[in-house]
Amino acid sequence: MGDGPAQRPEDGPARRDAMSGQLAAGVRRDGPQPLPVPRIVAPAIQGPEDVVADADGSFLAGAADGAIWRLRLSASGAEEGAEVVAHTGGRPLGLQPLAGGEFLVCDAERGLLRISPRHGTVRVLADEVAGAPLRFASNVTAAADGTLYFTVSSRRYGLDEWLGDFLEHTGTGQLLRLRPDATTPEVLLDGLQFANGLALDPDESFLVVAETGARRLRRYRLTGPRAGPADIWAGDLPGYPDNISHGPDGAFWVALAAPRAAGLELLHGMPRAFRRMSWQVCKRLRLRPPVQQTVRVLALRPDGGTARDLRAVNSPYRMVTSVCRTENLLLMSSVEERGIAVCTLPGPDGVGSGSPAPGQ
């Protein structure tokens, strides 16, 4: 299981990506397909950063006010009901359903939580790591043996100052593991650029971790002779990867929160003092980058190759931070928007192609 010391991934040259066959894994040779115009359901949910499917066919999403919502949809994507089932007392981000109706929540303010709606309990599983307060917990997944893996986006900045981490490019993100019999998590990977989405391969042989600030996905092997070391599973993505989910097609579905920004890439190549000064100027002047209207989601095969690449250029629903696929639908959520965006999956895997988004 890779019990050695935590690794700090190094930023190797692009040829490392090419050697593993994953360079620009998210780019189709013939370009992305159009993403249909979505309908917005459950508009009472403000800022649902993540949306996940539950075992009973409903969906969970966390709101900016700390509420956890359960949403029910018809086969065509129409809303059939939405209700608040819990409240974290903080800011919920990534979610992971468990057996028996319970679920895990990465709360940016409170840490890793386990919630039982039936009993009305919210239990803190981890709120510190290596003796330091756990801040900005981002996403979580659970193995069959009860082991939990979760990410910390930044040890320097909280959610309200996420832009500071992006501009300064701190490399303080982490991948953590909490064993069933442990009371504190252990660090598996350190030095990640804004660690974010997280997913287990169905056979639990490896984890895929999104490094949003580096536009890449890392693979952390859990089994086999190469267990422990992390490599680049998909690099040079056309945008900044956020949450990751599994679809019924066996693919890893990845939401790109924004397209690649040349100015940000240029800033990341400058000295750290300049990057830090840039954040201080933005903070003092209360400057924020405009929310992009380009929405893009990828479906990647277990080998890291691209299965689907879908994009809307002038989307009415922006900054998609999560995507969840059913048999014929895509559900998308956004840390900035109200409600959940739902559209028919276009192409051969969906019921129909739908209508293209504006600007396609």
Side-chain angles (χ1 to χ4, degrees):
M1 293 288 289
D3 291 320
Q7 290 186 310
R8 180 179 179 89
E10 297 180 358
D11 295 320
R15 63 183 177 86
R16 270 190 71 191
D17 296 22
M19 288 173 62
S20 63
Q22 308 308 328
L23 185 61
V27 180
R28 289 167 49 97
R29 292 183 182 275
D30 56 350
Q33 296 176 301
L35 187 67
V37 176
R39 74 168 78 180
I40 308 303
V41 300
I45 309 176
Q46 173 61 51
E49 196 270 348
D50 193 16
V51 59
V52 297
D54 206 344
D56 65 358
S58 59
F59 302 90
L60 296 171
D65 63 359
I68 306 294
W69 288 75
R70 177 172 284 123
L71 173 67
R72 293 178 298 280
L73 300 178
S74 69
S76 65
E79 181 182 340
E80 293 186 334
E83 60 180 342
V84 175
V85 295
H87 203 291
T88 68
R91 200 337 175 172
L93 299 177
L95 304 162
Q96 172 65 53
L98 299 173
E102 295 189 333
F103 50 88
L104 302 169
V105 179
C106 271
D107 190 288
E109 299 171 5
R110 300 195 61 200
L112 180 63
L113 312 178
R114 182 172 183 138
I115 295 180
S116 174
R118 185 170 62 177
H119 298 101
T121 59
V122 178
R123 182 158 61 99
V124 178
L125 299 181
D127 58 6
E128 65 175 43
V129 56
L134 178 62
R135 62 187 305 176
F136 211 160
S138 185
N139 208 282
V140 60
T141 189
D145 66 356
T147 300
L148 308 182
Y149 301 92
F150 62 107
T151 55
V152 171
S153 291
S154 174
R155 287 183 288 116
R156 185 182 301 276
Y157 297 106
L159 177 62
D160 59 336
E161 293 187 328
W162 67 268
L163 182 59
D165 196 278
F166 253 64
L167 296 181
E168 190 176 328
H169 211 46
T170 68
T172 60
Q174 296 176 314
L175 170 64
L176 307 179
R177 173 170 60 194
L178 182 64
R179 296 185 185 275
D181 56 350
T183 57
T184 58
E186 58 187 306
V187 180
L188 297 183
L189 289 177
D190 207 345
L192 298 171
Q193 292 292 352
F194 206 89
N196 206 331
L198 181 66
L200 263 172
D201 186 63
D203 67 5
E204 300 193 356
S205 62
F206 65 90
L207 286 160
V208 175
V209 184
E211 271 191 286
T212 306
R215 291 190 298 108
R216 65 189 175 199
L217 304 173
R218 283 195 175 269
R219 173 176 53 188
Y220 185 90
R221 291 184 175 88
L222 297 170
T223 61
R226 300 177 65 186
D231 59 5
I232 297 173
W233 186 69
D236 195 23
L237 297 175
Y240 300 93
D242 206 302
N243 288 317
I244 309 170
S245 65
H246 275 125
D249 53 357
F252 292 85
W253 282 82
V254 183
L256 302 183
R260 180 179 182 270
L264 182 61
E265 306 285 320
L266 180 64
L267 178 64
H268 287 172
M270 294 182 178
R272 183 172 184 176
F274 186 86
R275 303 197 306 266
R276 181 172 294 182
M277 182 180 66
S278 297
W279 162 237
Q280 293 303 321
V281 170
C282 288
K283 184 178 180 181
R284 188 177 306 114
L285 298 179
R286 299 183 179 180
L287 299 177
R288 287 176 62 89
V291 178
Q292 298 293 320
Q293 290 184 281
T294 296
V295 168
R296 196 163 184 175
V297 299
L298 306 175
L300 303 181
R301 298 187 300 268
D303 64 358
T306 304
R308 303 295 299 272
D309 181 357
L310 306 173
R311 183 182 66 176
V313 176
N314 294 314
S315 173
Y317 190 89
R318 306 166 302 163
M319 197 175 181
V320 166
T321 50
S322 177
V323 57
C324 176
R325 184 200 157 165
T326 69
E327 287 295 337
N328 67 310
L329 298 173
L330 287 181
L331 282 74
M332 294 169 287
S333 65
S334 167
V335 73
E336 292 283 342
E337 298 281 5
R338 281 190 171 274
I340 305 294
V342 182
C343 67
T344 301
L345 179 70
D349 293 331
V351 172
S353 61
S355 54
Q360 294 293 342

